[in-house]
Amino acid sequence: QKEVEQDPGPLSVPEGAIVSLNCTYSNSAFQYFMWYRQYSRKGPELLMYTYSSGNKEDGRFTAQVDKSSKYISLFIRDSQPSDSATYLCAMRRGGSQGNLIFGKGTKLSVKP
Amino acid sequence: SQTIHQWPATLVQPVGSPLSLECTVEGTSNPNLYWYRQAAGRGLQLLFYSVGIGQISSEVPQNLSASRPQDRQFILSSKKLLLSDSGFYLCAWINGPYGYTFGSGTRLTVV
């Protein structure tokens, strides 16, 4: 079983839709959870981050972590064509600055 | 401000040729630096990381090597490229508990 699983998509939605992106993981030691956004031919950029369980909201974006289920989600409200990108989940253990473990990424396309 | 530079942006190399990709970081000292490769459908694969000058850890055995000759310089090399070395190479440095800042990447095509 891979440490982090993420459906690669592709996912295509109409503009204005609510998008739900998800990852599951197997290592209960993960404490830091992140979502990166990667536009075509660019490096990933940190979009959202949370520590341990709970929700975090930033504008149209909401990140959720359910440690009991080992499941994290990213919700995008009122999706825009500019949200079209690949979204990668990432996580790492607590303590010292260990290496991130990434999901494979979900490619999202928002159609005008 | 802290920035990371990576070059070249695009590279086409014949099989068997050498490779040198360079990454430099500005605005920080003694950063942890990383080389990743991103191949289609395979996600981000960690290749090497370095916690200081001359200190290199390899995550996977392969045709590549890395060096860190200066505090803010990280180099990815190969003596003889294989077709399977094609991919998108990303340099990154860790900037706190919530992850990395990535460079803009080098798209390598081995022909």
Side-chain angles (χ1 to χ4, degrees):
Chain A
Q1 181 184 10
K2 293 185 185 293
E3 278 196 290
V4 180
E5 300 272 9
Q6 183 177 9
D7 186 339
L11 181 62
S12 183
V13 302
E15 183 175 355
I18 296 175
V19 177
S20 174
L21 304 169
N22 310 293
C23 288
T24 59
Y25 63 95
S26 58
N27 191 338
S28 58
F30 288 142
Q31 295 282 353
Y32 297 93
F33 302 92
M34 288 136 275
W35 287 94
Y36 283 80
R37 179 174 61 196
Q38 185 178 20
Y39 291 113
S40 180
R41 298 183 175 271
K42 301 291 186 183
E45 298 174 302
L46 181 63
L47 181 64
M48 295 281 289
Y49 60 88
T50 55
Y51 175 74
S52 194
S53 285
N55 295 356
K56 185 172 183 179
E57 186 173 323
D58 184 3
R60 296 184 295 110
F61 298 89
T62 300
Q64 286 185 353
V65 175
D66 182 349
K67 292 193 72 180
S68 62
S69 301
K70 296 189 179 68
Y71 189 85
I72 70 170
S73 301
L74 177 70
F75 298 96
I76 307 174
R77 293 182 298 280
D78 187 25
S79 56
Q80 303 294 308
S82 58
D83 296 327
S84 298
T86 296
Y87 290 81
L88 300 103
C89 64
M91 50 200 77
R92 68 171 190 85
R93 299 175 185 83
S96 60
Q97 295 178 342
N99 298 334
L100 289 185
I101 308 298
F102 286 90
K104 288 188 177 182
T106 300
K107 187 171 184 178
L108 171 67
S109 178
V110 181
K111 304 294 186 184
Chain B
S1 62
Q2 299 147 342
T3 56
I4 182 167
H5 300 281
Q6 197 178 336
W7 65 91
T10 305
L11 197 57
V12 180
Q13 293 283 98
V15 169
S17 64
L19 172 74
S20 180
L21 302 180
E22 188 165 342
C23 171
T24 59
V25 180
E26 295 180 359
T28 187
S29 59
N30 197 31
N32 286 1
L33 296 173
Y34 299 78
W35 278 111
Y36 280 87
R37 177 170 59 202
Q38 190 175 34
R42 300 189 64 183
L44 280 165
Q45 180 186 27
L46 177 61
L47 302 176
F48 301 96
Y49 69 93
S50 171
V51 299
I53 295 174
Q55 301 179 64
I56 308 294
S57 296
S58 174
E59 289 294 302
V60 292
Q62 60 213 330
N63 185 42
L64 302 169
S65 62
S67 62
R68 186 163 175 181
Q70 300 180 40
D71 181 44
R72 285 170 281 184
Q73 184 184 31
F74 202 22
I75 297 172
L76 182 69
S77 304
S78 174
K79 292 182 179 179
K80 290 185 178 181
L81 284 168
L82 306 172
L83 287 173
S84 57
D85 292 324
S86 293
F88 191 45
Y89 288 83
L90 288 156
C91 180
W93 69 278
I94 193 164
N95 57 350
Y98 292 109
Y100 303 164
T101 296
F102 285 89
S104 53
T106 295
R107 187 161 301 278
L108 171 66
T109 304
V110 182
V111 297

